[in-house]
Amino acid sequence: VTIFILVKDNIFALLKGELIPLVLLPKSVFSAMKYFPFYYIGYYPVNTIITGNMGSVWLAIAVLLIWIICLGTFNKHLFAKYKIVYEGTGL
């Protein structure tokens, strides 16, 4: 199990820009990363502090809120669906 956790942590570190800066990635990959929450969790706050560019803070908040709403809805749906299966009473 430990090796899977290490692989997961390394993949997330790469996606958040901890291993290599996201600016060094190709332009298409860098622009696509702006639609995923990893960019705004790790790379964006540090970049904002260093450069002082506060221009896209509302975009960051909007993208994170959309991800929270989507994943929260998905989580609620899966919990409602599989709660019955795990309890063994709804079959």
Side-chain angles (χ1 to χ4, degrees):
V1 173
T2 304
I3 191 69
F4 294 116
I5 293 172
L6 291 173
V7 169
K8 175 197 61 96
D9 289 342
N10 285 333
I11 290 172
F12 284 155
L14 180 66
L15 291 173
K16 289 190 290 184
E18 293 176 356
L19 295 179
I20 60 170
L22 295 177
V23 178
L24 297 177
L25 297 175
K27 191 72 170 173
S28 60
V29 174
F30 180 69
S31 61
M33 289 298 292
K34 292 183 179 181
Y35 297 106
F36 294 101
F38 307 111
Y39 173 81
Y40 297 104
I41 292 172
Y43 180 76
Y44 182 77
V46 173
N47 191 26
T48 303
I49 291 170
I50 291 173
T51 62
N53 183 8
M54 300 289 289
S56 61
V57 172
W58 293 109
L59 176 66
I61 292 171
V63 168
L64 288 175
L65 280 176
I66 289 170
W67 274 99
I68 288 170
I69 291 169
C70 290
L71 291 176
T73 305
F74 183 69
N75 182 29
K76 186 176 180 179
H77 172 71
L78 283 182
F79 181 76
K81 180 179 178 182
Y82 290 112
K83 179 176 73 169
I84 297 169
V85 174
Y86 288 132
E87 289 178 354
T89 58
L91 302 174

